[in-house]
């Protein structure tokens, strides 16, 4: 009896010894399979993450106002940073040319806005940028002539200058896009120096965009509908991609729209960027 019981326990133990590795092997591979399934599910979830069109776009543009004395505004639309930054440049800014130096205005008048953009990036040693050139009336039409903004002249002019322009008691100037060109000219005439004068344009344009970000989303359609009245190197695909970025930015609650200045110093035949001014331009273009 004892011998039979011993044989039973011996056989049971031997059976368990043989089965245990197999059980552990099955458990191991089952665990590995479950982990792989979880990894596949996580990978599938990641691949379906939606990135909004335009969210990754970064565009730098030289916006040129075609008039007797051309005006220039650098613009950067940055989807990842959710910012739009403007920087006006004086037409008398000296830029490097193969034959020596010239000014942005002289270059735009003689060789076109595209050449002015090329010389600007050559002077700053930065990547190429797109350009759009249009008359003041065409720019106003692209924005919508009835679009309006409130401009705080106190941010640009001292009390005496504001009084001369009729903003002594109330510094707020209200104007439409159609009237913006006249207001900019008044502000520029009241500001000393080329660098300070051109800053008025960036301040006014930034105010329109800041107070109505929807103008950003509508700009590409405005450009398309007036393509015969402007000059640009933007192709249809470029304009579509720019439109996606501007539409994305216009819908962001965290959007920041502002303007910066590029410091200049007097130079023979015009002005030139100071070290700080060059750094400001490079920060927009890079």
């Amino acid at each position: 009896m004892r011998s039979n019981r011993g044989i039973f326990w011996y056989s049971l133990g031997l059976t368990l010894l043989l089965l245990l590795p197999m059980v552990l092997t099955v458990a191991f591979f089952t665990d590995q399979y479950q982990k792989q399934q979880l990894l596949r599910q996580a990978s599938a979830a990641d691949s379906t993450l939606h990135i909004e069109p335009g969210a990754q776009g970064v565009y730098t543009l030289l916006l040129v106002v075609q008039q007797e004395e051309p005006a220039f505004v650098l613009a950067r639309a940055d989807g990842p940073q959710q910012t739009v930054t403007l920087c006006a440049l004086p037409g008398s800014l000296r830029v490097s040319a193969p034959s020596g130096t010239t000014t942005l205005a002289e270059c735009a008048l003689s060789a076109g806005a595209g050449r002015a953009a090329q010389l600007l990036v050559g002077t700053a040693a930065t990547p190429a940028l797109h350009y759009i050139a249009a008359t003041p009336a065409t720019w106003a039409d692209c924005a919508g002539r009835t679009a309006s903004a409130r401009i705080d002249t106190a941010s640009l002019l001292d009390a005496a200058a504001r009084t001369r322009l009729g903003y002594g008691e109330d510094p707020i100037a209200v104007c439409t896009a159609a009237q913006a060109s006249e207001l900019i000219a008044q502000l520029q005439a009241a500001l000393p120096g080329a660098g300070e004068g051109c800053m008025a344009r960036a301040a006014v344009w930034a105010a329109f965009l800041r107070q109505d970000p929807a103008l950003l989303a509508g700009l590409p359609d405005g450009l398309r509908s007036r393509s015969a009245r402007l000059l640009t190197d933007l192709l249809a695909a470029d304009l579509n991609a720019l439109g996606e970025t501007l539409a994305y930015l216009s819908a962001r609650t965290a959007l920041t729209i502002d303007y910066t200045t590029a410091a200049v110093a007097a130079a023979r035949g015009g002005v030139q960027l100071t070290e700080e001014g060059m750094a400001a331009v490079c920060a927009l273009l890079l």
Side-chain angles (χ1 to χ4, degrees):
M1 185 71 172
R2 288 183 179 178
S3 176
N4 290 338
R5 187 177 296 171
I7 292 171
F8 169 77
W9 288 111
Y10 176 78
S11 300
L12 180 61
L14 186 61
T15 302
L16 289 175
L17 247 146
L18 293 172
L19 289 175
L20 187 59
M22 290 189 291
V23 171
L24 291 176
T25 300
V26 171
F28 172 77
F29 282 110
T30 301
D31 181 64
Q32 291 299 305
Y33 175 77
Q34 291 174 340
K35 287 180 178 177
Q36 288 176 2
Q37 288 294 98
L38 290 174
L39 287 173
R40 288 194 188 97
Q41 292 172 5
S43 177
D46 288 343
S47 65
T48 58
L49 287 176
H50 178 62
I51 298 177
E52 292 190 54
Q56 313 255 326
V58 178
Y59 290 89
T60 55
L61 301 161
L62 180 64
L63 309 179
V64 183
V65 182
Q66 293 175 305
Q67 52 191 9
E68 186 176 351
E69 289 292 332
F72 304 86
V73 177
L74 273 179
R76 180 185 178 91
D78 193 322
Q81 296 298 319
Q82 299 186 17
T83 59
V84 173
T85 308
L86 305 178
C87 178
L89 299 174
S92 56
L93 179 66
R94 305 294 295 180
V95 289
S96 300
S99 59
T101 61
T102 185
T103 66
L104 279 178
E106 289 170 350
C107 182
L109 289 171
S110 63
R115 185 58 176 159
Q118 290 176 351
L119 295 187
L120 177 61
V121 297
T123 301
T126 56
L129 75 160
H130 293 294
Y131 69 89
I132 305 173
T135 64
T138 301
W139 281 118
D141 288 341
C142 289
R145 299 183 70 82
T146 59
S148 64
R150 294 167 57 84
I151 317 299
D152 183 6
T153 61
S155 64
L156 296 167
L157 306 177
D158 59 26
R162 294 199 307 275
T163 300
R164 287 195 298 272
L165 291 181
Y167 300 109
E169 295 184 5
D170 183 1
I172 302 300
V174 181
C175 74
T176 64
Q179 300 166 333
S181 193
E182 181 181 352
L183 174 62
I184 290 169
Q186 292 176 344
L187 295 173
Q188 288 177 330
L191 287 165
E196 293 81 358
C198 72
M199 182 174 62
R201 184 174 303 278
V204 171
W205 284 16
F208 272 89
L209 297 177
R210 191 184 302 116
Q211 293 169 34
D212 187 5
L215 292 175
L216 289 170
L219 180 61
D221 284 340
L223 295 173
R224 289 189 192 94
S225 63
R226 294 159 182 85
S227 59
R229 296 163 50 191
L230 54 85
L231 298 174
T232 182
D233 64 340
L234 288 169
L235 302 177
D238 299 323
L239 193 54
N240 289 338
L242 173 62
E244 289 181 345
T245 295
L246 294 180
Y248 169 80
L249 288 170
S250 68
R252 300 304 99 194
T253 57
L255 174 63
T256 299
I257 299 174
D258 208 349
Y259 68 94
T260 186
T261 57
V264 296
R268 187 175 181 179
V271 297
Q272 63 185 12
L273 291 169
T274 64
E275 186 176 340
E276 294 79 8
M278 183 66 77
V281 169
C282 290
L284 286 177
L285 296 181
L286 294 176

